[in-house]
Amino acid sequence: MTNGAATTTDLDAGLEAYRVELTGYCYRMLGSSFEAEDAVQDTMIRAWRSFEKFEGRSSLRSWLYRIATNVCLDMLTAGNKRARPMDLTESTPLARAALSPRPDSTWLEPMPDSRVLPTPADPAEAAVAKESVRLAFMAALQQLPAKQRAVLILREVLAWKASEVAELLGTSVASVNSALQRARATLAERQQPGADASVSDPLDEEQRKLLDRYVAAFEGYDMSALTALLHEDAVMTMPPFDLWLTGTEDITGFMTTLGAACSGSRLIPVEVNGLPGFAQYKPDPEAGGFTPWAVQVLEISDGRITGFHCFLDTARWFPLFGLPLRLEAEADQVEQRA
């Protein structure tokens, strides 16, 4: 596509071809699904309006990343850092568990893989991309100053050269290398819970069987079976509540007390943050059928579930994932999962 010669359709298609990877970049920068999509839309609008000024000295892709970076840096000037419950408070024993919500802007948000992960030909690139949107890595990114965050993502995740990053940020190669070194040191110092999650791409047979057993245990609300699948130090979180629990006893204890209404739930698989997940629908005692309750994200390591993260704002998450807002009681659950 050459400047001045592109038709409106050509330009639309040319910009749209980068939407998924730009959304992934903005999501890593901002930690918010909806802010990332807003940032990309703003990027597209700015690119459209200023395309006549694009002189082709860099690639269209580099130019779009420069615009997207500036949009994200502007959005991050307030210093907001998205977090997980374990980044903000100590683990709460079940005996003192209380459901205290915090504003939406507090939380690191889940994201469907399809919206942020392009399909590269190289399996190694695909694996790196998935690892870079997992909750633990996303939480670690939030600890970095905005420009260090951009440098780390561009260099380590997207494999840009230092000279390319320097040109994008309008700085020197030495400055880029220094920022990358500081970012790496910060991440090394602040090991995030869930950073040891190990999920094959695609899932191996052992992991698929583990998830099958998890679905059977959760839908059957069989706490003994669930305990056998959880690591003894497994973590459970439930944004927007800041409560988080550690250990099988407290997790299953919560599920049979404060979480008892989830008994009889149905699970539909989703691909979320490079990890296996499920859309949870719990029984609707008034209208019958099942109503949305949570998007679950599971972290797995050494054949056990180590993280069990439930995002409860279903009015936002289920449409984002393209999920129905209701399951009828007579629906064929096998067909729903197909």
Side-chain angles (χ1 to χ4, degrees):
M1 179 166 53
T2 58
N3 187 22
T7 66
T8 297
T9 301
D10 291 335
L11 180 54
D12 283 340
L15 297 178
E16 197 62 31
Y18 295 100
R19 182 175 292 275
V20 172
E21 65 173 284
L22 286 172
T23 304
Y25 175 62
C26 293
Y27 175 60
R28 295 178 185 99
M29 284 290 292
L30 301 171
S32 164
S33 317
F34 297 103
E35 286 184 2
E37 296 202 329
D38 288 346
V40 172
Q41 194 60 29
D42 191 2
T43 297
M44 296 297 187
I45 292 170
R46 293 189 191 188
W48 176 268
R49 289 175 175 170
S50 61
F51 188 71
E52 290 184 359
K53 300 176 183 177
F54 174 54
E55 299 176 350
R57 287 180 295 190
S58 62
S59 68
L60 177 63
R61 180 173 184 257
S62 297
W63 184 62
L64 288 171
Y65 269 91
R66 181 180 296 113
I67 297 172
T69 300
N70 289 332
V71 170
C72 289
L73 292 177
D74 287 346
M75 294 174 73
L76 288 168
T77 52
N80 53 313
K81 294 181 179 180
R82 298 275 176 161
R84 300 177 300 169
M86 65 276 280
D87 303 321
L88 302 177
T89 65
E90 295 296 323
S91 177
T92 305
L94 179 60
R96 293 193 284 109
L99 297 178
S100 304
R102 295 200 187 192
D104 291 339
S105 59
T106 306
W107 303 115
L108 182 64
E109 298 178 346
M111 183 64 119
D113 287 359
S114 61
R115 290 181 179 257
V116 292
L117 297 178
T119 309
D122 184 351
E125 288 183 21
V128 169
K130 279 198 168 186
E131 290 172 3
S132 70
V133 293
R134 290 178 182 168
L135 295 175
F137 185 76
M138 290 289 298
L141 286 176
Q142 297 297 302
Q143 304 299 318
L144 300 175
K147 286 193 175 179
Q148 284 185 31
R149 202 180 305 179
V151 168
L152 185 82
I153 296 166
L154 290 166
R155 293 282 284 120
E156 301 276 272
V157 177
L158 301 177
W160 284 40
K161 297 176 182 177
S163 57
E164 294 172 327
V165 178
E167 183 180 356
L168 182 147
L169 294 175
T171 188
S172 66
V173 169
S175 177
V176 167
N177 288 336
S178 176
L180 179 60
Q181 186 176 12
R182 294 196 303 275
R184 286 172 173 167
T186 299
L187 296 193
E189 290 171 3
R190 303 182 183 183
Q191 185 74 3
Q192 296 289 320
D196 60 348
S198 177
V199 180
S200 301
D201 182 25
L203 297 176
D204 62 32
E205 183 178 1
E206 180 183 350
Q207 290 167 346
R208 289 195 301 270
K209 288 181 178 178
L210 174 65
L211 294 177
D212 288 343
R213 292 196 296 271
Y214 170 76
V215 171
F218 194 95
E219 291 189 342
Y221 232 58
D222 183 339
M223 295 300 112
S224 295
L226 187 61
T227 297
L229 305 177
L230 295 173
H231 190 277
E232 61 182 6
D233 295 324
V235 168
M236 179 181 183
T237 67
M238 292 161 284
F241 302 116
D242 58 15
L243 170 74
W244 62 286
L245 302 166
T246 305
T248 55
E249 186 174 344
D250 277 1
I251 291 173
T252 57
F254 177 89
M255 292 175 65
T256 54
T257 53
L258 293 175
C262 291
S263 177
S265 290
R266 295 290 178 264
L267 300 180
I268 294 178
V270 294
E271 294 182 339
V272 50
N273 286 87
L275 293 164
F278 296 93
Q280 178 193 344
Y281 293 81
K282 73 173 185 176
D284 185 339
E286 295 181 1
F290 300 88
T291 187
W293 185 246
V295 170
Q296 301 180 359
V297 185
L298 303 186
E299 293 167 334
I300 299 172
S301 182
D302 296 328
R304 294 284 188 90
I305 295 169
T306 56
F308 174 47
H309 307 289
C310 303
F311 294 88
L312 303 182
D313 190 355
T314 54
R316 302 172 75 214
W317 305 133
F318 276 52
L320 182 71
F321 281 79
L323 293 161
L325 294 178
R326 179 171 185 77
L327 294 182
E328 299 301 330
E330 65 273 18
D332 182 348
Q333 297 301 325
V334 175
E335 182 179 336
Q336 289 280 353
R337 297 190 194 102

